[in-house]
Amino acid sequence: MKVISDSNPSPLVKRSLDAVWHPCTQMKHHETLPLIAITKGKGAWLYDENGNMLLDCISSWWTNLFGHSNPQINQAISDQLEKIEHVMLAGFTHPPVIELSERLAALTNDHLGHVFYASDGASAVEIALKMSHHFWRLNQKPEKKKFVCLENGYHGETLGALAVTDVAIFREAYGSLLQDVFTTPSPDFRKAQAGESAEDVAIRAAKALEQLLETEHRNIAAIIIEPLVQCAGQMAMHSPQYLRSVRALCDRFDIHLIADEIAVGCGRSGKFFACEHAGIWPDFLTLSKGISGGYLPLSLCMTTDKIYRAFYGDQTQQGFLHSHSYTGNPLACAAALACLDIFESEAVLEKNIERSQDLSTAFAWAKTDPRIEHWRQQGMILAFDIKHESLKNPSTFPRDMFSASLRQGILIRPIGNTIYVMPPYILSSNETIEMGASLKRALDQVLA
Ligand SMILES: *Cc1c(COP(=O)(O)O)cnc(C)c1O
């Protein structure tokens, strides 16, 4: 594919660079890094303004499950558009938000039967944190207001969510604005010492958490984790044993468990909810990203009857005090319902077992590549790390790799020295194999 020349941007790209401040981007890098104007999407493919095709191997930042411009989701949104595009959710309700809440609750066997809505993932995390602390206040334990988060965890970039996020570059820039939290070791199985299994690493990490809780539990409201895969933290994966251990510790020390499934939920891990791999339910579960199929901003926080009941009373201030203008938007809920329909009618979770095997086959070359270590996979996420000694320029590697991949017609965004793919659930076996081969060609160029 021919990539837009960086030194000579198209008129459209030039206008974007002048007027649009792009997210998580050093704008000056676009002097050399291509900025691509996308004018169309179909299935797993994005089309730039010149009609060049790009395979979306990362589901447009992990949001797109069933392809761009999916006819069934398009239809659901346009049908809803004819009825009601939006109405506030305080004092009003509407069929899509009711049906979505009921269907999600049913997917948890009604363990998490109450659903609170917002628009972006970080806000769903804020809701879980606020609700947890408010619950303890209502139970005469106002001192329980601190949070535990995992080393290398990511939960979003608003100030509350950023406080429980452990990413060095963010902590350096904004740390002085954030509340104090406890950070506990990650169960990342790449930390295994000789002879240790992933489960051993999980048990070791849970032991460290236990020690923290023994001394501090009276002041702790909740622990927040990304079940099975710390996605933004370089796709660090861990054993489901960690989730079982954390659940048991939370019960023992009277602490809430917040499972942030914004990235790993909606089938990404291989089951609809990642917690299902461990056979546990959290006290709060957040979803966003894939829930609307990558169509519209929608996020939500699910919780238990026990928590819901604590807020139920005569006084307004006993209720949960939180709202967003677009809470539970009907168009976004209609998109989410269309996605749940697709999960059912096309047996997506079953078919993804084959798709994840295709992924594994497509990247089999990387298992034995001497430049690569820590090959890993969880469902529809596949990742590996480039050994430091193989990197020519570690600081520019992600951008170099991004650019080289564009030339091969694929869209990937490495994180540090980690390369990963997280494709939509619609690639054919051939497309998957082609993706693996294209990525290898790009890597060979960058490391040559
Ligand atoms: C992306 C992400 C968030 C934040 O969601 P936004 O919609 O970007 O605010 C929170 N938690 C996890 C695990 C995520 O991957």
Side-chain angles (χ1 to χ4, degrees), residues 135-310:
F135 172 91
W136 295 119
R137 271 183 66 85
L138 293 169
N139 281 276
Q140 276 67 54
K141 290 180 181 165
E143 67 284 1
K144 282 174 90 68
K145 61 178 185 180
K146 289 193 75 169
F147 297 102
V148 182
C149 61
L150 262 60
E151 167 195 294
N152 195 37
Y154 177 92
H155 300 286
E157 296 171 38
T158 55
L159 295 180
L162 201 53
V164 290
T165 287
D166 182 37
V167 174
I169 190 170
F170 296 148
R171 287 243 164 130
E172 264 156 46
Y174 308 114
S176 62
L177 301 178
L178 306 176
Q179 65 159 317
D180 251 359
V181 296
F182 294 111
T183 306
T184 190
S186 164
D188 177 357
F189 62 46
R190 291 175 302 176
K191 298 199 291 188
Q193 287 151 12
E196 260 192 335
S197 67
E199 206 170 312
D200 295 332
V201 181
I203 290 166
R204 186 148 52 82
K207 202 88 203 138
L209 176 63
E210 182 179 15
Q211 280 163 10
L212 170 69
L213 298 186
E214 267 165 1
T215 55
E216 297 291 345
H217 67 94
R218 280 172 209 84
N219 304 315
I220 294 173
I223 175 170
I224 182 164
I225 60 173
E226 296 161 87
L228 299 189
V229 191
Q230 296 183 294
C231 293
Q234 299 193 311
M235 301 294 158
M237 299 184 186
H238 58 256
S239 157
Q241 176 56 45
Y242 187 69
L243 306 181
R244 286 189 287 271
S245 299
V246 173
R247 178 70 272 178
L249 289 170
C250 286
D251 291 342
R252 182 170 136 210
F253 289 107
D254 228 4
I255 284 164
H256 292 142
L257 172 56
I258 304 171
D260 179 354
E261 298 221 9
I262 288 169
V264 293
C266 302
R268 187 54 74 179
S269 73
K271 299 194 184 285
F272 193 85
F273 298 108
C275 282
E276 294 177 80
H277 290 274
I280 60 131
W281 292 111
D283 302 288
F284 301 94
L285 189 151
T286 56
L287 286 182
S288 187
K289 292 206 166 100
I291 187 63
S292 70
Y295 265 70
L296 287 160
L298 181 69
S299 70
L300 55 95
C301 176
M302 305 177 72
T303 192
T304 61
D305 213 36
K306 178 177 175 189
I307 296 200
Y308 176 77
R309 281 174 187 280

Side-chain angles (χ1 to χ4, degrees), residues 4-18 30-31 33-35 49:
I4 299 155
S5 152
D6 325 313
S7 49
N8 183 20
S10 75
L12 205 55
V13 166
K14 173 129 194 2
R15 279 164 54 202
S16 191
L17 291 172
D18 285 344
H30 279 307
E31 288 179 7
L33 192 74
L35 177 68
E49 54 183 325

Side-chain angles (χ1 to χ4, degrees), residues 1 42-47 52-60 68 405-406 408-412 421 423-424 426-428 430-436 438:
M1 121 160 199
K42 190 69 203 161
W45 296 87
L46 295 167
Y47 294 75
N52 296 312
M53 291 166 74
L54 204 51
L55 186 67
D56 187 353
C57 309
I58 56 167
S59 303
S60 291
H68 300 279
S405 302
L406 292 180
Q408 299 299 330
I410 60 172
L411 164 56
I412 61 161
V421 291
I426 54 164
L427 294 194
S428 66
N430 281 340
E431 280 172 324
T432 305
I433 296 299
E434 196 42 49
M435 167 172 73
S438 302

Side-chain angles (χ1 to χ4, degrees), residues 86-90 94 97 116-119 127 298-299 322-330 333:
H86 186 62
V87 62
M88 63 172 149
L89 202 62
H94 52 78
V97 80
F116 198 100
Y117 289 85
S119 314
I127 288 164
L298 181 69
S299 70
H322 194 97
S323 62
H324 296 285
S325 314
Y326 283 99
T327 290
N329 174 259
C333 290

